[in-house]
Amino acid sequence: MEKRQPVKALTIAGSDSGGAAGLQADLKTFTALGVYGMSAVTVVTAQNSVRVAALESMPATLVARQIEAVLEDYGADAIKTGFVGSVKLLEAIAAVLGAYQDNHPLPLVVDPVLVNHRGEAMFDQEVVEAYRRLLLPRCTIVTPNRREAALLCGQEVESWQDMTDAAQRLCEMGAGSALVTGGWHNEDYGDAFCDGRDVVFLELSHLKTSNTHGSGDTLSAAIAAFLAQEFPVLEAVRRAQTFTAAAIRGAVEWHMGGGHGPLNHMVRSEIGY
Ligand code: PXL
């Protein structure tokens, strides 16, 4: 019998005990999109839909060993980074990825988790600086929301013009492409995508729901899953937006917890991927 390798993706991210965000959202997304999921845990959180009750970072050496163990044996067709939260971990991750990428070029999606769901910065300026220095120059795409883009670019990101400028600026900083998420272009809601030159507006429907916990993680994981399947970047983004919208729609009628509930990742058949 001829054996084959499944398409594989690695997430380097935090654990959310509630299963809504972090590596749990990533692994569910990979599975829903037909991609074998692997994970390197950066931090462990105790959280639910209402609060983060505890957070503990893994030692940098253990994070590096997890990535190395996965890559030296299984390999990966794409990698995503999510919650990292410290310069030490960013340095360890960049060192391992840099050594690997030199011999095995592969897509890297950087989701710069820098703000909480209220839009407040969670970390010191050195963490923002470390993203700029260590991860932006080696990524295929960076996927900040407007607040995160503002921190990375050191400028306000409110209007559509701001989003356009930020997406271009992120590419100038070394990102292969940039998706600045969640803003308004005239009356329409959507994301700004820059391929390194031009910026396009990608319209989305604006769904009324509070069940959005983990939507950014789901989007960036889905982009990684489609890049692993060798879709061009813009096509991977469009498909990932479609999957994320379906997962949000699929949870509109869910009642889970007292705060921002999770998405429904079990929607693969609905979108036909
Ligand atoms: O959604 C961002 C995010 C990423 N990773 C972890 C998280 C969160 C937000 O709750 O907890 C581990």
Side-chain angles (χ1 to χ4, degrees):
M1 180 181 43
E2 177 124 12
K3 301 215 175 167
R4 68 177 181 89
Q5 294 229 14
V7 176
K8 307 169 293 280
L10 166 65
T11 178
I12 302 169
S15 169
D16 167 4
S17 52
L23 69 89
Q24 285 82 1
D26 298 343
L27 293 177
K28 290 175 192 182
T29 299
F30 293 160
T31 303
L33 297 175
V35 171
Y36 180 86
M38 305 172 287
S39 59
V41 187
T42 52
V43 302
V44 174
T45 70
Q47 68 170 291
N48 52 36
S49 71
V50 184
R51 68 189 184 117
V52 177
L55 185 154
E56 191 154 337
S57 185
M58 297 294 105
T61 46
L62 182 56
V63 175
R65 289 298 93 78
Q66 292 175 77
I67 302 168
E68 283 167 352
V70 166
L71 294 180
E72 77 183 18
D73 187 31
Y74 294 124
D77 300 299
I79 299 179
K80 166 199 156 160
T81 66
F83 192 113
V84 181
S86 76
V87 175
K88 256 197 184 146
L89 290 194
L90 285 165
E91 285 173 346
I93 292 164
V96 181
L97 292 186
Y100 189 76
Q101 280 177 318
D102 285 345
N103 300 313
H104 308 81
L106 84 174
L108 173 64
V109 179
V110 171
D111 184 3
V113 179
L114 292 170
V115 302
N116 61 24
H117 73 271
R118 286 184 294 275
E120 300 155 352
M122 289 192 287
F123 314 113
D124 295 341
Q125 189 58 27
E126 293 95 81
V127 171
V128 175
E129 185 48 47
Y131 267 100
R132 284 197 202 121
R133 186 163 40 88
L134 299 168
L135 288 188
L136 284 193
R138 57 178 92 251
C139 75
T140 310
I141 182 165
V142 61
T143 63
N145 60 32
R146 277 185 297 141
R147 299 270 173 277
E148 290 161 340
L151 290 172
L152 289 168
C153 297
Q155 62 198 48
E156 219 179 58
V157 183
E158 297 295 334
S159 66
W160 167 249
Q161 187 57 50
D162 296 342
M163 289 173 74
T164 303
D165 293 344
Q168 278 174 329
R169 183 85 193 85
L170 291 164
C171 292
E172 283 161 17
M173 290 184 206
S177 59
L179 185 72
V180 178
T181 64
W184 295 90
H185 182 26
N186 301 325
E187 304 294 297
D188 301 318
Y189 181 76
D191 300 341
F193 174 78
C194 180
D195 62 2
R197 287 166 50 123
D198 304 317
V199 178
V200 289
F201 173 65
L202 303 177
E203 190 180 344
L204 303 168
S205 51
H206 192 59
L207 291 165
K208 269 207 166 53
T209 174
S210 63
N211 294 337
T212 53
H213 191 176
S215 49
D217 312 62
T218 298
L219 176 70
S220 55
I223 295 172
F226 288 116
L227 290 176
Q229 294 170 79
E230 298 185 353
F231 286 98
V233 181
L234 180 55
E235 178 66 18
V237 167
R238 286 192 198 277
R239 285 178 177 245
Q241 288 173 327
T242 302
F243 174 73
T244 306
I248 293 173
R249 257 196 320 276
V252 164
E253 291 180 3
W254 278 10
H255 179 73
M256 278 192 65
H260 289 286
L263 278 56
N264 179 353
H265 293 90
M266 298 168 277
V267 288
R268 180 182 177 186
S269 55
E270 268 183 40
I271 56 171
Y273 291 152

